[in-house]
Amino acid sequence: MSIETKSNWSVVAACFAVLIVEGFDLAMFGSIVPSLREYEPWGVDASVIGYMGAAAVFGMLVGALVAAVLVDRIGRKPVVVGAVVLFSVSMGLSALAPDPTVFLGLRLLIGIGAGAVMPTVAATLIEFAPVDRRSRNSALGFIGVGIGGMASAMLAVWLVPAFGFRAMCLVGALPLLVTVPVLIRWFPESPSVFESRGRTAQAMSTRRRYGLSDPEPADISEASRTRLSVVFGDGRGRGTLLFWTATFCCLLVTFGVSTWLPDLMRSGGYGLSGALWFLVALKGGSVVGVLIAANLADSFGQKPVVAVTSLCSALALLALTAMPPVGVAYILVAVVGLGTTGLQILINAFVGSYYPAQVRGTGLGLNLSVGRVGGILGPVYLGWLVSIGIGFDAKFYALALPAFISAVLLALVPTRRSGMPMQLHPDRKVK
């Protein structure tokens, strides 16, 4: 194995490590919802649970906006390290929360940290991958989210009934001791960040070390030097808006399902322990399925694969309305996992490939920021449906519709344009 190949895998490994921790923290909330609803000192109802779930997603919107502003300016490494410290410490403090208001506030901080991590890591995985392995390397890094979620769900099966929700929160803070040193040692800074600061020697050294190709030629007009204008310029505006709307729909379904799946399946007669195992199936489907889908995306194109993946999720949600036998239900939930968390991994790779390297972090950050609005609405939307007492099947119909819409929007995205040259004045840099 060449030195460059080893170095590239070290980037994937560092991203994988941080996303395991993030995946654990985000999935943990869904696993403790039944415990929170039964925690008598707080007496929270379904609507409050929905707001708690939405608080983390609103924080992710804020975090993604922060990343969009900072990641291509101050660098990716400080953003990632600071974000991991924020959401891990907040996770530990939530184990000590005296009331629902403090708990909700800490969920907000967890979301801010997680929201800053995701676009930053996605941009890094894409930049440090060979062009023909962008989807695969992104999937290999981002399956950490699914594995972290699986670990959270499996631990919850034993820990929550025995010790309650506070024990899960406390466990979520422990990986901080390992993850931050790994990031400091292995997470690389972007060559494009060095170049934007005029540190060309460091940029060239980083490119040689990781076996990266030369930077894309500059080609943005005088009137299009800001990052936002690059995101919308050169014919990318339609694709950008389609990505934003599709991500909105995808994350609405993702966070609606992640927050309420155990409770929904329990209402369908599957039992508490079985309901928690559905979370394992959900995350397992995202891990296994996205690896297969990512290989297909690199071989046959990203657009058809992401559109079909979203369509499969919608069909699986419709099939769950029939309350099938438990074995069939696990398979259908795994397909939903591929079409929610797994789909967002594929969309991140698709979006990252759509923009030039100089604004890739900005493009991803903006896309996830807008998409997080859907994520905020997902838990509240499902919480409202639960609180008004609609039927089991109607809740899944309500999730299938935005999944169908996402599939259509992704199929309409124009041919990617990241390979288009950028025109920059030779003495000017993208701001």
Side-chain angles (χ1 to χ4, degrees), residues 33-379:
V33 164
S35 176
L36 280 170
R37 294 189 70 183
E38 295 172 358
Y39 187 58
E40 293 183 3
W42 286 4
V44 296
D45 58 19
S47 62
V48 173
I49 295 291
Y51 289 124
M52 286 179 174
V57 191
F58 178 76
M60 294 181 79
L61 184 155
V62 175
L65 283 173
V66 170
V69 172
L70 297 181
V71 72
D72 291 318
R73 295 177 181 272
I74 70 170
R76 295 174 188 173
K77 190 168 186 172
V79 170
V80 167
V81 173
V84 171
V85 171
L86 176 62
F87 71 65
S88 297
V89 170
S90 300
M91 190 73 168
L93 291 175
S94 65
L96 307 174
D99 55 55
T101 302
V102 173
F103 188 85
L104 185 149
L106 289 166
R107 292 298 302 170
L108 175 67
L109 294 178
I110 290 168
I112 291 174
V117 162
M118 208 166 268
T120 310
V121 168
T124 300
L125 284 166
I126 292 165
E127 183 168 8
F128 283 83
V131 174
D132 62 346
R133 285 188 58 87
R134 283 178 171 173
S135 291
R136 274 171 279 192
N137 278 24
S138 294
L140 287 169
F142 269 88
I143 61 172
V145 176
I147 290 175
M150 287 178 64
S152 175
M154 294 173 71
L155 184 62
V157 171
W158 164 72
L159 197 62
V160 172
F163 300 101
F165 70 92
R166 294 186 187 276
M168 283 294 293
C169 297
L170 187 61
V171 171
L174 297 180
L176 174 66
L177 301 175
V178 176
T179 306
V180 170
V182 168
L183 292 175
I184 292 173
R185 174 67 180 86
W186 294 107
F187 196 87
E189 190 51 87
S190 165
S192 64
V193 171
F194 289 136
E195 287 159 354
S196 71
R197 299 171 182 171
R199 295 158 63 177
T200 55
Q202 283 181 279
M204 291 175 62
S205 174
T206 302
R207 291 184 186 281
R208 285 196 300 269
R209 180 182 176 192
Y210 290 94
L212 304 179
S213 59
D214 291 334
E216 297 164 356
D219 189 28
I220 301 177
S221 67
E222 279 285 312
S224 303
R225 281 192 295 270
T226 65
R227 296 184 186 281
L228 187 60
S229 63
V230 179
V231 168
F232 280 95
D234 198 21
R236 296 186 189 91
R238 178 186 169 200
T240 294
L241 294 176
L242 287 168
F243 278 132
W244 286 5
T245 313
T247 301
F248 173 95
C249 293
C250 175
L251 291 180
L252 186 151
V253 179
T254 299
F255 285 93
V257 169
S258 296
T259 301
W260 285 103
L261 182 65
D263 198 76
L264 292 180
M265 301 310 287
R266 192 179 179 187
S267 71
Y270 291 97
L272 176 59
S273 178
L276 289 173
W277 278 107
F278 278 111
L279 270 183
V280 179
L282 184 76
K283 300 304 177 181
S286 71
V287 171
V288 176
V290 78
L291 290 175
I292 298 171
N295 278 280
L296 293 174
D298 281 334
S299 299
F300 300 104
Q302 293 169 308
K303 181 165 74 170
V305 172
V306 295
V308 169
T309 300
S310 186
L311 179 61
C312 288
S313 174
L315 294 174
L317 287 165
L318 289 177
L320 283 167
T321 63
M323 287 189 282
V326 65
V328 176
Y330 280 134
I331 294 172
L332 292 172
V333 168
V335 174
V336 174
L338 168 60
T340 51
T341 302
L343 176 62
Q344 192 54 54
I345 294 170
L346 298 173
I347 291 175
N348 287 342
F350 193 9
V351 172
S353 299
Y354 198 75
Y355 300 110
Q358 293 91 331
V359 295
R360 187 165 287 140
T362 301
L364 281 161
L366 289 171
N367 183 66
L368 286 171
S369 296
V370 175
R372 295 299 175 203
V373 177
I376 293 166
L377 294 177

Side-chain angles (χ1 to χ4, degrees), residues 375-408:
I376 293 166
L377 294 177
V380 177
Y381 173 50
L382 264 294
W384 173 71
L385 293 176
V386 170
S387 66
I388 65 174
I390 68 169
F392 178 86
D393 55 347
K395 298 165 191 170
F396 285 97
Y397 288 136
L399 290 168
L401 179 60
F404 272 119
I405 294 172
S406 178
V408 173

